[in-house]
Every structure is written in C-alpha cells, then in structure tokens.
Amino acid sequence: MTFEGFPDEGLVFYEGLEADNSKTYWTRNRQIYDASVRTPMQALLDELTGEFGVPKLFRPYRDVRFSNDKTPYKTHQGAVVNPDGRGAGAWYVQVSADGLMVAGGCWRLEPDQVARYRRAVADDVQGPRLRAEVNRLAAAGWTIDGERLVRVPAGFDREGDRADLLRHKTLHASRRWEPADWLHDRRALDEVRSAWRDLTALNAWLADNVGATTRESRARR
C-alpha cells in the first residue's frame, strides 16, 4: 500500500480517546483507528523498510500491571526500527492528536551497555565524535534527552566539555511537528525519512560504541 498521509480523522480519534479512554469509546471507534491510524502508519513504515530496516508497530493497548494510571489505551501510535545486530541505536516515529514526532537513539540500556557508553564518551577519539554530533543535532533543532544522573560518575572528568554526556544513562534526540495540512499527504513520509537520515550518525555511534547487551551477544553466538 502506498502512503498517502495521515487522515485528519486519525488525529480527531486521538482527541476523543484523550477525553474518553474507555473500552466503550475504543470499540465504537475501532474502525477509525484501523483505517486512519494503523493502516497509514503501516504504509509509511513499509516505504521506509528498505532503507532503515524492518519496523515494529506497537500495540495500542497500555501495560497497566505496574502503573498507577489504569487507562487501557495509548493516546498515540508509535513504531520503532531497531536493526538486528546493532544493539543500541534505533529510529522511532509517533502520531497523535499533538501531531508527528520522530526520534532516534537509545531509550533503555543495560548496565554493561552504560559502562561501554561512558568509556566511549571519555575516550579521546570517540568522545569528541559524539560531542560534535550532539552539538550538530541540537543546533539543527533537535531536542537532546535521556535518563541522567545528577552528577558525573566517579572516575570520570567532571569539568570537561563532555561532562553532561557522561551523566547520561540513555541518550536520544527528538523532533516534533504540530498538526498541519502536510501531515495528511506524502510530505509526512518525506519529513520522517529526512529526519531519520539526520539521526543516522548518532545511531551509528551508539551501535559501534555501545552495541548489544552481553546477554544478547551470547544469544547470537
């Protein structure tokens, strides 16, 4: 199927879901979700697969087992591409009533990955490479975020120009667009593709320097 944009009905669907996050609303409007959210998202992903890898389309249902928020449905549709063998470094896209969001990087790292990340940031070759890439993305309008420690970990330079990066336990960049007419046509595909390409260097650095968990590496042997 060719991607032709996200219909406005999909964004309106999520506006309604934010107001009434119930099984009754979901059941009554499921056809709108399927036609105006899930189907166009899958079509968009299909057109990106050849360049970026096989995507995973997230389920619309929330996991409420360990959450105080018991609302049953997500108020957005997200998808991720995390190529096999790369470990850290993924692309993400999301549509909701707030518009379109794209992101890349890592959202969850195991202790062995965090340790490799910090060693790479402290390295005199790899550290400046990441510093330059993060600075470039920030200057281009990307929001740099991730889970952080309050202080730089012991044993690392607390005064250097990479001190802020050393505090990170995860690292990702994101960009958001509010609802606009172009979201309903093929320009949305162009924007996602261009944005993901802009994140390629960050993801490559994470794949090269952080990689997979020790458990994942052993499983592939």
Side-chain angles (χ1 to χ4, degrees):
M1 178 179 293
T2 301
F3 176 75
E4 299 295 347
F6 292 103
D8 187 55
E9 290 82 356
L11 278 63
V12 173
F13 163 81
Y14 277 123
E15 288 180 352
L17 186 61
E18 289 177 357
D20 180 12
N21 198 315
S22 68
K23 185 176 181 179
T24 299
Y25 176 88
W26 180 266
T27 301
R28 186 170 63 243
N29 295 280
R30 177 61 188 263
Q31 289 184 329
I32 298 176
Y33 165 78
D34 287 338
S36 299
V37 177
R38 185 179 181 87
T39 296
M41 177 64 85
Q42 187 61 64
L44 179 139
L45 297 171
D46 288 346
E47 296 206 40
L48 295 169
T49 296
E51 180 173 351
F52 297 97
V54 178
K56 174 184 177 181
L57 188 66
F58 289 117
R59 290 160 55 91
Y61 312 105
R62 295 183 62 251
D63 184 351
V64 300
R65 291 173 298 172
F66 308 107
S67 174
N68 292 328
D69 180 0
K70 298 302 182 182
T71 51
Y73 303 103
K74 298 174 184 175
T75 55
H76 61 266
Q77 177 64 66
V80 66
V81 176
N82 192 350
D84 291 341
R86 289 179 58 95
W91 291 276
Y92 180 77
V93 61
Q94 173 182 299
V95 66
S96 70
D98 295 327
L100 184 68
M101 189 265 275
V102 292
C106 57
W107 287 262
R108 181 180 300 173
L109 294 178
E110 297 295 332
D112 59 302
Q113 293 176 297
V114 175
R116 289 196 295 273
Y117 165 80
R118 289 181 182 147
R119 287 197 298 269
V121 173
D123 182 80
D124 289 338
V125 174
Q126 297 302 328
R129 284 183 56 208
L130 179 62
R131 173 80 282 164
E133 183 59 20
V134 167
N135 288 351
R136 183 192 70 81
L137 289 170
W142 290 88
T143 297
I144 308 300
D145 210 340
E147 184 181 359
R148 299 179 178 92
L149 299 174
V150 175
R151 299 179 181 84
V152 173
F156 294 96
D157 184 1
R158 298 184 179 183
E159 304 299 331
D161 71 338
R162 282 165 268 158
D164 59 319
L165 295 174
L166 287 165
R167 290 170 47 220
H168 277 263
K169 296 177 68 177
T170 61
L171 178 68
H172 45 85
S174 62
R175 172 172 283 173
R176 299 174 184 270
W177 292 274
E178 295 181 352
D181 289 344
W182 60 263
L183 190 60
H184 310 315
D185 59 43
R186 284 186 62 81
R187 182 180 162 188
L189 170 64
D190 296 334
E191 293 287 358
V192 174
R193 181 187 287 116
S194 177
W196 279 8
R197 286 174 176 170
D198 205 25
L199 294 166
T200 297
L202 174 64
N203 279 344
W205 189 96
L206 291 167
D208 292 343
N209 292 283
V210 179
T213 66
T214 301
R215 182 177 61 254
E216 290 170 334
S217 298
R218 289 172 179 169
R220 288 198 294 270
R221 291 175 185 172

